[in-house]
């Protein structure tokens, strides 16, 4: 795509033209997917990276500032997200190696039952949280995202993330007191 075409496409996209977004998606999706796949080697992860990029582009279209090539911006974004994913995976693998080296504690049947009951109760409580609070909690605790990342992903303020996390944690403390040591 010629630079002038990219500029025109980007201008239409910034103004919310859905057809330009669809064109951009169709034009770049497969090459970006192939690029992400060449780095990650896992198709589902590569698809997730590329789909999230297009979601972010559409969501933040009015704030997009691209000084050079739109294609270069897309490829660099995919590259950075792939590296980020690989770094997280590497950290997880290192933690798992560390955890496997730790001595295994004996667990009796009573402790196992208490743990299973606590686990069931926790997930029951989590499902009862308001939808947004539940999503924020899951993004923080299960996906390991920082508050800033959650705020950016959901297009909300960090204060909103903090308030929802605080309320969720208070809710869990209040409702899981019987399981405290």
């Amino acid at each position: 795509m010629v630079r002038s075409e990219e500029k025109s496409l980007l201008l239409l996209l910034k103004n919310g033209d859905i057809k330009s977004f669809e064109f951009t998606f169709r034009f770049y999706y497969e090459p970006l997917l192939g690029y992400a796949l060449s780095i990650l080697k896992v198709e589902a992860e590569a698809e997730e990276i590329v789909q999230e990029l297009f979601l972010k582009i559409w969501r933040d279209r009015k704030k997009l500032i691209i000084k050079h090539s739109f294609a270069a911006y897309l490829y660099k974004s995919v590259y950075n997200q792939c590296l980020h994913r690989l770094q997280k995976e590497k950290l997880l693998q290192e933690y798992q190696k560390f955890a496997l080296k730790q001595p295994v504690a004996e667990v009796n049947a009573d402790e196992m039952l208490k743990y299973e009951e606590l686990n069931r109760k926790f997930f029951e409580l989590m499902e009862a949280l308001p939808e947004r609070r539940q999503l924020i909690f899951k993004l923080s605790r299960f996906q390991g995202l920082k508050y800033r990342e959650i705020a950016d992903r959901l297009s909300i303020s960090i204060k909103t993330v903090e308030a929802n996390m605080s309320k969720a944690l208070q809710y869990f403390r209040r409702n899981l007191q019987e399981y405290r040591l």
Side-chain angles (χ1 to χ4, degrees), residues 12 15 20 49 56 58 119 145 152 156 181:
L12 288 168
N15 289 324
S20 64
I49 295 275
K56 184 177 189 279
W58 181 251
N119 201 35
L145 297 182
D152 289 345
I156 58 178
L181 296 174

Side-chain angles (χ1 to χ4, degrees), residues 9-18 20-22 24-25 28-29 32 49-66 69-78 152-153 155:
L9 184 64
L10 194 55
L11 184 61
L12 288 168
L13 186 62
K14 281 184 171 189
N15 289 324
D17 183 63
I18 191 73
S20 64
F21 177 75
E22 288 172 357
T24 304
F25 182 85
Y28 287 108
Y29 183 81
L32 289 172
I49 295 275
V50 176
Q51 288 170 0
E52 284 181 7
L53 171 62
F54 280 105
L55 176 64
K56 184 177 189 279
I57 286 172
W58 181 251
R59 187 183 62 226
D60 298 339
R61 66 189 174 277
K62 292 179 181 170
K63 297 183 272 183
L64 270 179
I65 298 173
I66 298 173
S69 162
F70 187 41
Y73 170 83
L74 294 171
Y75 279 93
K76 186 67 173 177
S77 296
V78 167
D152 289 345
R153 184 178 282 192
S155 298

Side-chain angles (χ1 to χ4, degrees), residues 6-139:
E6 275 188 351
K7 281 186 173 186
S8 299
L9 184 64
L10 194 55
L11 184 61
L12 288 168
L13 186 62
K14 281 184 171 189
N15 289 324
D17 183 63
I18 191 73
K19 290 190 186 290
S20 64
F21 177 75
E22 288 172 357
F23 175 81
T24 304
F25 182 85
R26 280 195 218 107
F27 189 82
Y28 287 108
Y29 183 81
E30 289 297 325
L32 289 172
L33 179 61
Y35 181 59
L37 191 55
S38 73
I39 297 170
L40 296 174
K41 312 292 188 230
V42 179
E43 190 168 354
E45 289 184 13
E47 285 176 349
E48 185 178 338
I49 295 275
V50 176
Q51 288 170 0
E52 284 181 7
L53 171 62
F54 280 105
L55 176 64
K56 184 177 189 279
I57 286 172
W58 181 251
R59 187 183 62 226
D60 298 339
R61 66 189 174 277
K62 292 179 181 170
K63 297 183 272 183
L64 270 179
I65 298 173
I66 298 173
K67 295 180 181 174
H68 302 291
S69 162
F70 187 41
Y73 170 83
L74 294 171
Y75 279 93
K76 186 67 173 177
S77 296
V78 167
Y79 176 78
N80 288 338
Q81 287 304 310
C82 288
L83 282 186
H84 182 71
R85 176 78 50 105
L86 290 172
Q87 288 170 341
K88 279 178 116 175
E89 189 176 303
K90 183 179 177 189
L91 280 172
L92 179 62
Q93 288 173 354
E94 287 175 8
Y95 173 75
Q96 288 172 339
K97 284 180 190 175
F98 170 77
L100 287 173
K101 291 178 184 176
Q102 302 307 309
V104 177
E106 298 257 342
V107 179
N108 66 36
D110 283 345
E111 287 175 344
M112 185 59 95
L113 285 172
K114 286 178 185 175
Y115 171 77
E116 288 173 4
E117 182 183 336
L118 171 61
N119 201 35
R120 181 192 52 73
K121 177 78 172 175
F122 170 76
F123 281 99
E124 252 177 42
L125 290 169
M126 188 175 56
E127 293 300 318
L129 285 171
E131 190 175 324
R132 176 174 272 190
R133 191 168 300 151
Q134 185 181 138
L135 176 60
I136 290 170
F137 183 83
K138 286 178 179 179
L139 290 172

